[in-house]
Structure formats: C-alpha cells, structure tokens
C-alpha cells in the first residue's frame, strides 16, 4: 500500500483498491480521524457542533484556516451551539479538475497545515479516497454516519450522548452558486440545508442575505444558514498560489511554511497552470 500518512491515507493505491467502492465500504487503510474531537460537551444547554469544509485545497492556504477561526469566533460569541471539532475534506482525484494535484498531496498538505497549529482541526481523507466524485450531500452524510452513527454522538458529563450537528463551512460565492440549477440539484440543497445547515463566510463587498431573499430554497432554510462577514479582508486563493509557484514568485506567508516546503519538495504546480472551476467557492478552491 505504500508509506502511510496520518489519518488513513496512503501514498499508493494497492491491488485491493476497489473501483466499485460505495459509501458503506471504507477504502482500504481508512480510519476516521477523531483525535482532536472534544471528549465531552462542556455546556449541556448547547448542541455539539462540527464544521466540515469541502474543497480542492490545491493547496490549502491561510485563508482556509482563518475561515474556521472566524466561524469559531461566531459560535463562541453568540450561539446555541458548542463547537467540538472541524474537518477539511479534500475532493477526490475523480473531480477531474484540470491541473488538480493528486489527492495524496492535497490531503498531506492539509495535515501539515493543521497537525501542530490547531487543537481542533482535522483532515478526513474519505472523500479524497473515493473512486468517483462525491456530491456534498453524500460527504455530509458520511460525517453524520461516522460522528452520530459509529461514534454515537457527543458524550455528556452524565455519560449520556447527544447528536452532533454537522454544518457545512463555505465561502459566500459557494452559496451564490447554489442558485444555479446546473450545479446543485434541488433535492441536494434541501438535504444539505435542511438536515445539516451552512456556515457562510461572506466576502467584503458581497451581500449573502440579499441573495438568500431571492432564492426560494435557501430562504426556506434561512434559519440553518449562519453568515459571518470578514472583518479583515483576505483574498488569498489557491489559484493565486499556484500561479505564483508557476512564475517562481514567493508564496511565503500565503501558506504555512510546512505546506510551502512540501510544494517545493514535491515539485507541485511548477509545470502546469490550473483552471478554476467556475462554480466552486473561490475561497475553497
């Protein structure tokens, strides 16, 4: 299987990799990471919450990390939720995006960005290991199965358990893409926003609430959509980082140092320019 990497991904797929794998059958060597998940709920009046961010992460940047922290500030300040963990979920190689770095590299870069710098962020490789592109609704179902099915939810101080609420963390432009019927199926939107919900980091100069008012499905589930504005404008993107590497420009302070070293050690993004999918969140590209 090759050299193991933290949280269940390996550097090479072996003969046992099943191209017909389904959600019910984890890929070989996979294990769900829960080592940074809170052990117990501190405030029993609140609902335990886990944030999940799906994206390419080619590569992961400081903005991706900051979005989790902005969401944490929001929930710590005024919320019925208690944040107990957060996950990066990089897309599969079968996403078929031009110039997308192999999943093994994107997962490892996310791990390098979080393994020592954060006490609550983790990287789940399940989506990245899938033999086909997985819809966001399916990915969130996977987290629900792991956190509330297999693990039984969050332990309370008295030993009982409570269901963990899962929330999709996204940029404002991803929410706006939900208005496109050629991108999102109506049933998926109802499932994502109705059963789970969404935490939206709004870019400076945009108005997510104005968009919500104009979209029937999003407005129907508006109580499950949380919006946070960027107080400090940050427009770092993976697209720009890849372009900087291509042009031999510095990317220091755009990505964590460990990620920068990994990019150069593995000669990533130095030969091909990548094209950004027109409907993916720019912040999570």
């Amino acid at each position: 299987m090759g050299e193991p990497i933290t949280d269940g991904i390996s550097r090479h797929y072996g003969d046992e990799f099943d191209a017909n794998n389904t959600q019910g059958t984890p890929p070989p060597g996979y294990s769900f990471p829960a080592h940074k998940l809170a052990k117990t709920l501190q405030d029993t009046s609140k609902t335990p919450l886990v944030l999940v961010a799906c994206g390419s992460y080619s590569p992961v940047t400081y903005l991706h990390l900051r979005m989790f922290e902005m969401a944490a500030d929001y929930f710590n300040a005024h919320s019925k939720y208690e944040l107990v963990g957060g996950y990066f979920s990089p897309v599969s190689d079968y996403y078929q995006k031009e110039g997308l770095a192999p999943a093994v590299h994107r997962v490892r870069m996310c791990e390098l960005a979080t393994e020592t710098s954060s006490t609550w962020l983790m990287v789940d490789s399940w989506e990245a290991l899938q033999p086909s592109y997985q819809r966001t609704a399916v990915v969130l179902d996977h987290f629900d199965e792991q956190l509330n099915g297999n693990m039984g939810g969050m332990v309370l101080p008295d030993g009982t358990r409570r269901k963990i609420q899962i929330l999709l963390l996204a940029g404002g432009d991803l929410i706006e893409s939900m208005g496109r019927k050629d991108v999102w199926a109506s049933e998926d939107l109802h499932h994502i926003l109705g059963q789970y919900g969404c935490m939206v980091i709004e870019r400076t100069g945009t108005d997510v609430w104005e968009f919500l008012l104009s979209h029937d499905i999003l407005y129907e589930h508006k109580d499950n959509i949380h919006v946070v504005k960027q107080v400090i404008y940050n427009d770092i993107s993976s697209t720009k980082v890849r372009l900087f590497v291509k042009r031999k420009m510095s990317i220091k302070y755009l990505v964590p140092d460990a990620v920068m070293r990994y990019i150069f050690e593995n000669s990533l993004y130095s030969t091909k320019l990548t094209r950004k999918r027109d409907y993916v969140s720019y912040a999570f590209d």
Side-chain angles (χ1 to χ4, degrees), residues 6 8 31 95 204 210 214 238:
T6 307
S31 61
Y95 176 52
T204 302
E210 181 179 352
S214 66
S238 299

Side-chain angles (χ1 to χ4, degrees), residues 165 189-197 221 224:
Q165 181 65 44
L189 290 182
H190 281 295
H191 186 66
I192 293 169
L193 299 176
Q195 180 168 335
Y196 301 113
H221 299 291
N224 292 337

Side-chain angles (χ1 to χ4, degrees), residues 7-281:
D7 296 341
I9 190 169
S10 56
R11 295 188 186 278
H12 304 288
Y13 299 130
D15 294 336
E16 66 271 36
F17 182 74
D18 182 5
N20 296 313
N21 179 56
T22 65
Q23 183 181 354
T25 306
Y30 169 78
S31 61
F32 183 72
H35 55 292
K36 294 183 182 180
L37 200 66
K39 303 304 180 185
T40 60
L41 192 67
Q42 299 300 310
D43 187 341
T44 57
S45 69
K46 294 188 175 184
T47 299
L49 174 72
V50 162
L51 294 172
V52 175
C54 302
S56 299
Y57 304 116
S58 190
V60 62
T61 73
Y62 275 127
L63 177 56
H64 299 138
L65 298 168
R66 276 295 303 158
M67 292 179 81
F68 275 100
E69 292 299 318
M70 285 185 276
D73 285 342
Y74 171 88
F75 288 114
N76 288 336
H78 46 81
S79 174
K80 64 179 182 179
Y81 298 105
E82 180 176 313
L83 190 57
V84 297
Y87 290 90
F88 283 100
S89 181
V91 298
S92 164
D93 287 338
Y94 292 85
Y95 176 52
Q96 296 182 342
K97 175 181 176 180
E98 182 182 354
L100 186 70
V104 62
H105 292 309
R106 292 181 287 107
V107 169
R108 185 57 186 149
M109 285 188 286
C110 287
E111 291 171 346
L112 289 170
T114 58
E115 60 189 13
T116 60
S117 67
S118 175
T119 59
W120 63 285
L121 293 181
M122 294 162 281
V123 184
D124 181 36
S125 61
W126 180 86
E127 183 183 0
L129 287 170
Q130 295 306 301
S132 62
Y133 174 71
Q134 300 298 308
R135 305 188 328 275
T136 302
V138 173
V139 175
L140 295 179
D141 284 345
H142 155 74
F143 278 94
D144 185 47
E145 178 184 4
Q146 292 293 331
L147 293 168
N148 293 311
N150 296 343
M151 294 176 56
M154 176 59 55
V155 178
L156 303 183
D158 64 1
T160 60
R161 292 179 177 270
R162 182 172 296 168
K163 182 179 180 180
I164 296 173
Q165 181 65 44
I166 297 163
L167 215 61
L168 176 67
L169 178 62
D173 42 357
L174 181 61
I175 281 291
E176 292 180 2
S177 78
M178 290 181 173
R180 295 181 51 182
K181 294 182 179 180
D182 60 327
V183 176
W184 296 89
S186 296
E187 55 268 28
D188 275 6
L189 290 182
H190 281 295
H191 186 66
I192 293 169
L193 299 176
Q195 180 168 335
Y196 301 113
C198 191
M199 172 85 256
V200 182
I201 307 298
E202 188 175 58
R203 284 183 175 273
T204 302
T206 61
D207 189 343
V208 171
W209 282 113
E210 181 179 352
F211 178 74
L212 294 182
L213 287 172
S214 66
H215 192 282
D216 291 341
I217 296 178
L218 270 64
Y219 188 75
E220 177 183 342
H221 299 291
K222 64 182 184 302
D223 291 341
N224 292 337
I225 300 174
H226 307 264
V227 180
V228 175
K229 286 185 177 290
Q230 283 198 69
V231 178
I232 300 176
Y233 181 68
N234 185 338
D235 67 347
I236 297 173
S237 73
S238 299
T239 302
K240 292 178 181 178
V241 171
R242 296 193 299 265
L243 182 59
F244 276 29
V245 173
K246 170 71 176 181
R247 302 305 184 204
K248 296 182 172 56
M249 299 170 65
S250 172
I251 58 172
K252 191 171 180 63
Y253 307 125
L254 298 179
V255 300
D257 284 352
V259 173
M260 179 178 67
R261 288 193 296 270
Y262 188 89
I263 289 172
F264 293 128
E265 287 170 359
N266 291 275
S267 302
L268 301 180
Y269 314 122
S270 58
T271 57
K272 288 185 178 180
L273 290 174
T274 55
R275 183 181 64 207
K276 184 172 77 69
R277 187 177 64 170
D278 60 355
Y279 54 86
V280 78
S281 167

